[in-house]
Amino acid sequence: MRPLSFFPLLVLASTLCACSGGGDAHAPSASAPALAAAPQQAVASLPADEVGTPLSEGWRTHAGHVDIGIQVGGEELFYTPGDGALLPVVAREASVLLIGNNLKWAGTSGPDAAVLRPSRDTFDFRSADVLVDWAEHNGMKIRAHVLVWGEDVPAWLANGSFTRDELLQILHEHIATVVGRYKGRIRAWDVVNEAFDWNGEYKDTFWLRKLGPEYIEIAFRWAHEADPAALLFLNEDGTEALGAGSDRFLQQVQALLAKGTPIHGVGLETHVDLEYRTLGGNTVADPVSLAANIRRLGALGLQVSLSEVDVRIPLPATAQGLATQAAVYAALYDACASEAACTGFHLWGITDKWSWIPRTFEGLGAALPLDQAYAPKPAYSAVLQALRANTDRCLDWGARQYAGIVRPATAPSAVFDGYYYRHFTETGNYAGVRDGMLYYWDPADMAGPLAVMSLADCQQAARAVP
Ligand code: XIL
């Protein structure tokens, strides 16, 4: 780290940075939000908070055109003993909090069987409220899962004898109440989850049987009414890569769009093994095929996210397994970052301690980048390297743009005070990123640093350069 003259510039940059509000993230507020009363089960209080501007580099430093999301399932926090280590890590690494289970109608199994809607007339928002307050306080975007899914239907609904009209009413109440409660706060919703099978045909679910295929379109319309600014996603597994199933899925999405359904994005779950095999039969989300599929969904005007990434490996994990896993993680990120339409790289958790894989797939696990004790595995560093490479392309591009330089010699990128920056030795200029913005310094012009543009725009522009 050096040069001395850089220090005052960075101090100035911190000031500027606070003013700019860090791109479209919310600036952290001054005091911690009050925690809600005990949710469904005994609650451990959430860690008193911490983050604000991270002083060290986390994945989040590089969240630009691709947001970095981490799923929190709720069970880590709301059952005794709560795991106080989790949220600070999530805030350091992720620009998006994914609320994984606490807004499901009913938890599906295991220790996370929380119930959002224990009866037709009651909703229990306590745990979701805590998470939403926490994410906002930490300047994070929020994505929530899920409004309509075949697998989280509570018993009172599944076993009730409701007419079709009553069910429509119940669904409307649900979407209006849940989306409405967080209007303007939850930026993206998984509106419909796993509605298609691995051939791209309608999956036989409670909702299909009771309401017919139009439930999908209806749910999106009601969600859009409840929060017109929210980004609405159709979330799917088994259709990640090119193939007959995803061809058919693409047609289904086109048909929904042709009807004017307010779908803004598709989530590709991307739960894979070391050979990129997804949950979906024999489909393989190899990175080339995945990128091509993202591109054709993007051509429909949709955003795409890799929405539930994890990479399961046979237990006990070997060094070879962990190394291969690291390469798979990096390649998945690269496939996403290489496509303009891909706006989210979202992991289904961050630590093996809480992963759903070992309790769902016998003999498999160790699927996430931190181990059970929160120590980084090779996958953690591999993702960081891939993120840095993406930001480096932006920094090179930025230095050329703002100094009229063709390609200056550079010192390696470094981290200081939350900035990830490069020093362009030929000109003496610096370009750096922090809080989602690209900053640029020209030591000859002491009015700098300048907040030049969002990191998202910079990464997109750099990505387009051959
Ligand atoms: C899983 C959760 O991770 C578990 O904690 C829960 O017990 C069952 O559901 N695809 C999805 C998610 O869309 O909702 C699932 O989440 C994982 C597969």
Side-chain angles (χ1 to χ4, degrees), residues 71 73 75 100-101 104 107-110 112 145-146 149 193-194 235 237 269 271 279 308 348 354-356 359-360:
Q71 186 259 167
E75 68 273 24
N101 287 326
K104 286 175 176 169
T108 43
S109 65
D112 52 1
H145 182 81
V146 52
W149 186 31
N193 193 35
E194 299 176 351
N235 196 53
D237 78 296
E269 291 187 9
H271 295 283
L279 299 180
E308 302 188 11
W348 205 244
W354 297 109
S355 169
W356 74 303
R359 56 189 154 89
T360 315

mmCIF file of all heavy atoms in Angstrom, residues 71 73 75 100-101 104 107-110 112 145-146 149 193-194 235 237 269 271 279 308 348 354-356 359-360, ligand 1:
data_model
loop_
_atom_site.group_PDB
_atom_site.id
_atom_site.type_symbol
_atom_site.label_atom_id
_atom_site.label_comp_id
_atom_site.label_asym_id
_atom_site.label_seq_id
_atom_site.Cartn_x
_atom_site.Cartn_y
_atom_site.Cartn_z
ATOM 1 N N GLN A 71 -28.592 -16.042 0.802
ATOM 2 C CA GLN A 71 -29.848 -16.444 1.399
ATOM 3 C C GLN A 71 -29.680 -16.692 2.890
ATOM 4 O O GLN A 71 -28.734 -17.361 3.328
ATOM 5 C CB GLN A 71 -30.349 -17.734 0.716
ATOM 6 C CG GLN A 71 -31.726 -18.187 1.152
ATOM 7 C CD GLN A 71 -31.755 -19.315 2.161
ATOM 8 O OE1 GLN A 71 -32.778 -19.584 2.745
ATOM 9 N NE2 GLN A 71 -30.645 -19.982 2.397
ATOM 10 N N GLY A 73 -31.988 -18.387 5.820
ATOM 11 C CA GLY A 73 -33.189 -19.218 5.894
ATOM 12 C C GLY A 73 -34.024 -18.984 7.130
ATOM 13 O O GLY A 73 -35.151 -19.442 7.227
ATOM 14 N N GLU A 75 -33.715 -20.143 10.144
ATOM 15 C CA GLU A 75 -33.483 -21.093 11.229
ATOM 16 C C GLU A 75 -32.200 -20.789 11.994
ATOM 17 O O GLU A 75 -32.056 -21.122 13.165
ATOM 18 C CB GLU A 75 -33.455 -22.534 10.702
ATOM 19 C CG GLU A 75 -32.272 -22.907 9.809
ATOM 20 C CD GLU A 75 -32.503 -22.597 8.336
ATOM 21 O OE1 GLU A 75 -33.328 -21.715 8.043
ATOM 22 O OE2 GLU A 75 -31.853 -23.229 7.493
ATOM 23 N N GLY A 100 -35.081 -16.447 2.578
ATOM 24 C CA GLY A 100 -35.307 -17.751 1.944
ATOM 25 C C GLY A 100 -36.529 -18.497 2.424
ATOM 26 O O GLY A 100 -37.227 -19.125 1.621
ATOM 27 N N ASN A 101 -36.802 -18.468 3.712
ATOM 28 C CA ASN A 101 -37.905 -19.283 4.244
ATOM 29 C C ASN A 101 -38.968 -18.479 4.982
ATOM 30 O O ASN A 101 -40.109 -18.933 5.098
ATOM 31 C CB ASN A 101 -37.364 -20.333 5.226
ATOM 32 C CG ASN A 101 -36.630 -21.458 4.532
ATOM 33 O OD1 ASN A 101 -36.977 -21.864 3.423
ATOM 34 N ND2 ASN A 101 -35.578 -21.956 5.173
ATOM 35 N N LYS A 104 -42.218 -17.794 3.165
ATOM 36 C CA LYS A 104 -42.989 -18.911 2.606
ATOM 37 C C LYS A 104 -44.298 -19.032 3.391
ATOM 38 O O LYS A 104 -44.328 -18.713 4.588
ATOM 39 C CB LYS A 104 -42.194 -20.221 2.709
ATOM 40 C CG LYS A 104 -41.043 -20.312 1.703
ATOM 41 C CD LYS A 104 -40.198 -21.558 1.907
ATOM 42 C CE LYS A 104 -39.133 -21.666 0.834
ATOM 43 N NZ LYS A 104 -38.124 -22.711 1.140
ATOM 44 N N GLY A 107 -43.149 -23.203 6.394
ATOM 45 C CA GLY A 107 -41.854 -23.852 6.228
ATOM 46 C C GLY A 107 -42.102 -25.275 5.783
ATOM 47 O O GLY A 107 -43.151 -25.851 6.065
ATOM 48 N N THR A 108 -41.139 -25.848 5.100
ATOM 49 C CA THR A 108 -41.413 -27.146 4.510
ATOM 50 C C THR A 108 -40.939 -28.306 5.362
ATOM 51 O O THR A 108 -41.542 -29.356 5.380
ATOM 52 C CB THR A 108 -40.779 -27.228 3.112
ATOM 53 O OG1 THR A 108 -39.477 -26.655 3.181
ATOM 54 C CG2 THR A 108 -41.607 -26.458 2.126
ATOM 55 N N SER A 109 -39.832 -28.102 6.040
ATOM 56 C CA SER A 109 -39.342 -29.244 6.808
ATOM 57 C C SER A 109 -38.310 -28.773 7.796
ATOM 58 O O SER A 109 -37.859 -27.638 7.747
ATOM 59 C CB SER A 109 -38.690 -30.260 5.869
ATOM 60 O OG SER A 109 -37.548 -29.679 5.280
ATOM 61 N N GLY A 110 -37.899 -29.694 8.645
ATOM 62 C CA GLY A 110 -36.730 -29.449 9.478
ATOM 63 C C GLY A 110 -36.909 -28.284 10.427
ATOM 64 O O GLY A 110 -38.037 -27.896 10.758
ATOM 65 N N ASP A 112 -36.619 -25.291 10.120
ATOM 66 C CA ASP A 112 -37.061 -23.993 9.629
ATOM 67 C C ASP A 112 -38.548 -23.976 9.324
ATOM 68 O O ASP A 112 -39.024 -23.184 8.528
ATOM 69 C CB ASP A 112 -36.267 -23.621 8.376
ATOM 70 C CG ASP A 112 -36.307 -24.735 7.349
ATOM 71 O OD1 ASP A 112 -36.963 -25.749 7.622
ATOM 72 O OD2 ASP A 112 -35.688 -24.584 6.292
ATOM 73 N N HIS A 145 -38.479 -14.551 -1.202
ATOM 74 C CA HIS A 145 -38.856 -15.841 -1.738
ATOM 75 C C HIS A 145 -39.956 -16.318 -0.807
ATOM 76 O O HIS A 145 -39.726 -16.302 0.404
ATOM 77 C CB HIS A 145 -37.587 -16.713 -1.633
ATOM 78 C CG HIS A 145 -37.669 -18.097 -2.157
ATOM 79 N ND1 HIS A 145 -37.540 -18.390 -3.487
ATOM 80 C CD2 HIS A 145 -37.823 -19.294 -1.530
ATOM 81 C CE1 HIS A 145 -37.591 -19.702 -3.651
ATOM 82 N NE2 HIS A 145 -37.762 -20.283 -2.486
ATOM 83 N N VAL A 146 -41.129 -16.617 -1.160
ATOM 84 C CA VAL A 146 -41.722 -16.819 -2.450
ATOM 85 C C VAL A 146 -43.231 -16.710 -2.262
ATOM 86 O O VAL A 146 -43.754 -17.085 -1.210
ATOM 87 C CB VAL A 146 -41.303 -18.215 -3.020
ATOM 88 C CG1 VAL A 146 -41.583 -19.313 -1.999
ATOM 89 C CG2 VAL A 146 -42.032 -18.551 -4.286
ATOM 90 N N TRP A 149 -45.827 -21.298 -4.491
ATOM 91 C CA TRP A 149 -44.980 -22.491 -4.687
ATOM 92 C C TRP A 149 -45.805 -23.704 -4.316
ATOM 93 O O TRP A 149 -46.626 -23.634 -3.386
ATOM 94 C CB TRP A 149 -43.740 -22.386 -3.765
ATOM 95 C CG TRP A 149 -42.694 -23.442 -3.929
ATOM 96 C CD1 TRP A 149 -42.358 -24.114 -5.070
ATOM 97 C CD2 TRP A 149 -41.817 -23.943 -2.894
ATOM 98 N NE1 TRP A 149 -41.317 -24.981 -4.814
ATOM 99 C CE2 TRP A 149 -40.965 -24.898 -3.502
ATOM 100 C CE3 TRP A 149 -41.646 -23.662 -1.528
ATOM 101 C CZ2 TRP A 149 -39.980 -25.584 -2.788
ATOM 102 C CZ3 TRP A 149 -40.668 -24.344 -0.821
ATOM 103 C CH2 TRP A 149 -39.835 -25.290 -1.452
ATOM 104 N N ASN A 193 -42.642 -19.987 -7.983
ATOM 105 C CA ASN A 193 -41.462 -20.836 -7.831
ATOM 106 C C ASN A 193 -41.748 -22.233 -8.377
ATOM 107 O O ASN A 193 -42.765 -22.840 -8.030
ATOM 108 C CB ASN A 193 -41.122 -20.938 -6.332
ATOM 109 C CG ASN A 193 -39.753 -21.523 -6.062
ATOM 110 O OD1 ASN A 193 -38.814 -21.299 -6.820
ATOM 111 N ND2 ASN A 193 -39.638 -22.268 -4.969
ATOM 112 N N GLU A 194 -40.846 -22.712 -9.219
ATOM 113 C CA GLU A 194 -40.880 -24.100 -9.690
ATOM 114 C C GLU A 194 -42.256 -24.483 -10.235
ATOM 115 O O GLU A 194 -42.840 -25.482 -9.842
ATOM 116 C CB GLU A 194 -40.441 -25.039 -8.564
ATOM 117 C CG GLU A 194 -39.007 -24.736 -8.128
ATOM 118 C CD GLU A 194 -38.516 -25.559 -6.945
ATOM 119 O OE1 GLU A 194 -39.322 -26.277 -6.323
ATOM 120 O OE2 GLU A 194 -37.309 -25.475 -6.627
ATOM 121 N N ASN A 235 -39.085 -18.115 -10.761
ATOM 122 C CA ASN A 235 -37.884 -18.827 -10.309
ATOM 123 C C ASN A 235 -38.001 -20.304 -10.666
ATOM 124 O O ASN A 235 -39.023 -20.929 -10.410
ATOM 125 C CB ASN A 235 -37.763 -18.663 -8.786
ATOM 126 C CG ASN A 235 -36.385 -19.008 -8.277
ATOM 127 O OD1 ASN A 235 -35.386 -18.477 -8.776
ATOM 128 N ND2 ASN A 235 -36.310 -19.892 -7.301
ATOM 129 N N ASP A 237 -35.988 -24.318 -11.560
ATOM 130 C CA ASP A 237 -34.819 -25.203 -11.544
ATOM 131 C C ASP A 237 -34.937 -26.206 -12.678
ATOM 132 O O ASP A 237 -36.028 -26.483 -13.169
ATOM 133 C CB ASP A 237 -34.703 -25.940 -10.215
ATOM 134 C CG ASP A 237 -35.654 -27.104 -10.126
ATOM 135 O OD1 ASP A 237 -36.878 -26.863 -10.137
ATOM 136 O OD2 ASP A 237 -35.193 -28.256 -10.069
ATOM 137 N N GLU A 269 -32.155 -21.479 -10.631
ATOM 138 C CA GLU A 269 -31.707 -21.838 -9.270
ATOM 139 C C GLU A 269 -30.231 -22.224 -9.205
ATOM 140 O O GLU A 269 -29.508 -21.803 -8.310
ATOM 141 C CB GLU A 269 -32.586 -22.963 -8.702
ATOM 142 C CG GLU A 269 -34.006 -22.508 -8.410
ATOM 143 C CD GLU A 269 -34.836 -23.567 -7.692
ATOM 144 O OE1 GLU A 269 -34.280 -24.601 -7.255
ATOM 145 O OE2 GLU A 269 -36.064 -23.343 -7.567
ATOM 146 N N HIS A 271 -28.600 -25.044 -8.395
ATOM 147 C CA HIS A 271 -28.051 -25.959 -7.384
ATOM 148 C C HIS A 271 -27.321 -27.031 -8.180
ATOM 149 O O HIS A 271 -27.967 -27.828 -8.866
ATOM 150 C CB HIS A 271 -29.172 -26.632 -6.581
ATOM 151 C CG HIS A 271 -29.989 -25.696 -5.736
ATOM 152 N ND1 HIS A 271 -29.538 -25.190 -4.548
ATOM 153 C CD2 HIS A 271 -31.242 -25.205 -5.900
ATOM 154 C CE1 HIS A 271 -30.472 -24.424 -4.009
ATOM 155 N NE2 HIS A 271 -31.519 -24.417 -4.802
ATOM 156 N N LEU A 279 -30.503 -29.840 -10.125
ATOM 157 C CA LEU A 279 -31.466 -30.737 -9.484
ATOM 158 C C LEU A 279 -32.307 -31.431 -10.544
ATOM 159 O O LEU A 279 -32.920 -32.451 -10.288
ATOM 160 C CB LEU A 279 -32.402 -29.941 -8.558
ATOM 161 C CG LEU A 279 -31.773 -29.184 -7.402
ATOM 162 C CD1 LEU A 279 -32.864 -28.470 -6.607
ATOM 163 C CD2 LEU A 279 -30.989 -30.111 -6.490
ATOM 164 N N GLU A 308 -30.087 -19.478 -6.654
ATOM 165 C CA GLU A 308 -29.942 -20.317 -5.442
ATOM 166 C C GLU A 308 -28.661 -21.138 -5.520
ATOM 167 O O GLU A 308 -28.644 -22.333 -5.180
ATOM 168 C CB GLU A 308 -31.149 -21.258 -5.296
ATOM 169 C CG GLU A 308 -32.490 -20.536 -5.220
ATOM 170 C CD GLU A 308 -33.664 -21.459 -4.888
ATOM 171 O OE1 GLU A 308 -33.418 -22.623 -4.516
ATOM 172 O OE2 GLU A 308 -34.812 -20.994 -5.002
ATOM 173 N N TRP A 348 -27.324 -19.828 -2.049
ATOM 174 C CA TRP A 348 -28.324 -20.328 -1.104
ATOM 175 C C TRP A 348 -27.644 -20.586 0.244
ATOM 176 O O TRP A 348 -27.514 -21.708 0.700
ATOM 177 C CB TRP A 348 -29.016 -21.562 -1.680
ATOM 178 C CG TRP A 348 -30.391 -21.800 -1.131
ATOM 179 C CD1 TRP A 348 -30.797 -22.865 -0.382
ATOM 180 C CD2 TRP A 348 -31.543 -20.966 -1.291
ATOM 181 N NE1 TRP A 348 -32.135 -22.720 -0.057
ATOM 182 C CE2 TRP A 348 -32.619 -21.579 -0.599
ATOM 183 C CE3 TRP A 348 -31.784 -19.735 -1.939
ATOM 184 C CZ2 TRP A 348 -33.905 -21.020 -0.545
ATOM 185 C CZ3 TRP A 348 -33.069 -19.186 -1.885
ATOM 186 C CH2 TRP A 348 -34.096 -19.816 -1.189
ATOM 187 N N TRP A 354 -25.231 -24.134 7.844
ATOM 188 C CA TRP A 354 -26.673 -24.014 7.719
ATOM 189 C C TRP A 354 -27.221 -24.476 6.364
ATOM 190 O O TRP A 354 -28.402 -24.273 6.079
ATOM 191 C CB TRP A 354 -27.107 -22.564 7.974
ATOM 192 C CG TRP A 354 -26.809 -22.117 9.358
ATOM 193 C CD1 TRP A 354 -25.867 -21.229 9.743
ATOM 194 C CD2 TRP A 354 -27.460 -22.556 10.556
ATOM 195 N NE1 TRP A 354 -25.869 -21.077 11.105
ATOM 196 C CE2 TRP A 354 -26.847 -21.884 11.635
ATOM 197 C CE3 TRP A 354 -28.502 -23.458 10.823
ATOM 198 C CZ2 TRP A 354 -27.234 -22.082 12.964
ATOM 199 C CZ3 TRP A 354 -28.880 -23.655 12.137
ATOM 200 C CH2 TRP A 354 -28.254 -22.973 13.190
ATOM 201 N N SER A 355 -26.367 -25.070 5.566
ATOM 202 C CA SER A 355 -26.808 -25.464 4.220
ATOM 203 C C SER A 355 -27.932 -26.501 4.260
ATOM 204 O O SER A 355 -27.927 -27.412 5.094
ATOM 205 C CB SER A 355 -25.614 -26.019 3.462
ATOM 206 O OG SER A 355 -26.023 -26.628 2.262
ATOM 207 N N TRP A 356 -28.856 -26.395 3.310
ATOM 208 C CA TRP A 356 -29.959 -27.367 3.232
ATOM 209 C C TRP A 356 -29.510 -28.693 2.619
ATOM 210 O O TRP A 356 -30.193 -29.691 2.743
ATOM 211 C CB TRP A 356 -31.118 -26.784 2.399
ATOM 212 C CG TRP A 356 -30.862 -26.753 0.909
ATOM 213 C CD1 TRP A 356 -29.818 -26.138 0.274
ATOM 214 C CD2 TRP A 356 -31.644 -27.371 -0.115
ATOM 215 N NE1 TRP A 356 -29.906 -26.330 -1.078
ATOM 216 C CE2 TRP A 356 -31.028 -27.077 -1.356
ATOM 217 C CE3 TRP A 356 -32.825 -28.130 -0.121
ATOM 218 C CZ2 TRP A 356 -31.540 -27.522 -2.580
ATOM 219 C CZ3 TRP A 356 -33.334 -28.567 -1.344
ATOM 220 C CH2 TRP A 356 -32.690 -28.263 -2.547
ATOM 221 N N ARG A 359 -29.026 -32.060 4.771
ATOM 222 C CA ARG A 359 -30.260 -32.621 5.334
ATOM 223 C C ARG A 359 -31.262 -32.994 4.241
ATOM 224 O O ARG A 359 -32.349 -33.485 4.528
ATOM 225 C CB ARG A 359 -30.871 -31.699 6.402
ATOM 226 C CG ARG A 359 -31.182 -30.307 6.024
ATOM 227 C CD ARG A 359 -31.580 -29.471 7.274
ATOM 228 N NE ARG A 359 -31.308 -28.075 7.069
ATOM 229 C CZ ARG A 359 -32.169 -27.227 6.528
ATOM 230 N NH1 ARG A 359 -33.360 -27.637 6.152
ATOM 231 N NH2 ARG A 359 -31.820 -25.960 6.378
ATOM 232 N N THR A 360 -30.901 -32.767 2.985
ATOM 233 C CA THR A 360 -31.812 -33.095 1.892
ATOM 234 C C THR A 360 -31.265 -34.198 0.986
ATOM 235 O O THR A 360 -32.019 -35.007 0.455
ATOM 236 C CB THR A 360 -32.089 -31.827 1.051
ATOM 237 O OG1 THR A 360 -32.344 -30.740 1.940
ATOM 238 C CG2 THR A 360 -33.296 -32.006 0.149
HETATM 239 C C1 XIL B 1 -35.383 -25.070 0.906
HETATM 240 C C2 XIL B 1 -34.759 -24.466 2.177
HETATM 241 O O1 XIL B 1 -33.414 -24.172 1.957
HETATM 242 C C3 XIL B 1 -34.925 -25.407 3.303
HETATM 243 O O2 XIL B 1 -34.443 -24.807 4.483
HETATM 244 C C4 XIL B 1 -36.376 -25.810 3.455
HETATM 245 O O3 XIL B 1 -36.490 -26.771 4.431
HETATM 246 C C5 XIL B 1 -36.899 -26.360 2.151
HETATM 247 O O4 XIL B 1 -36.710 -25.414 1.136
HETATM 248 N N1 XIL B 1 -35.555 -24.617 -4.197
HETATM 249 C C6 XIL B 1 -36.225 -23.566 -3.632
HETATM 250 C C7 XIL B 1 -36.121 -23.309 -2.185
HETATM 251 O O5 XIL B 1 -36.837 -22.779 -4.353
HETATM 252 O O6 XIL B 1 -37.292 -22.787 -1.644
HETATM 253 C C8 XIL B 1 -35.700 -24.531 -1.404
HETATM 254 O O7 XIL B 1 -35.380 -24.097 -0.083
HETATM 255 C C9 XIL B 1 -34.517 -25.176 -2.055
HETATM 256 C C10 XIL B 1 -34.832 -25.604 -3.466
#
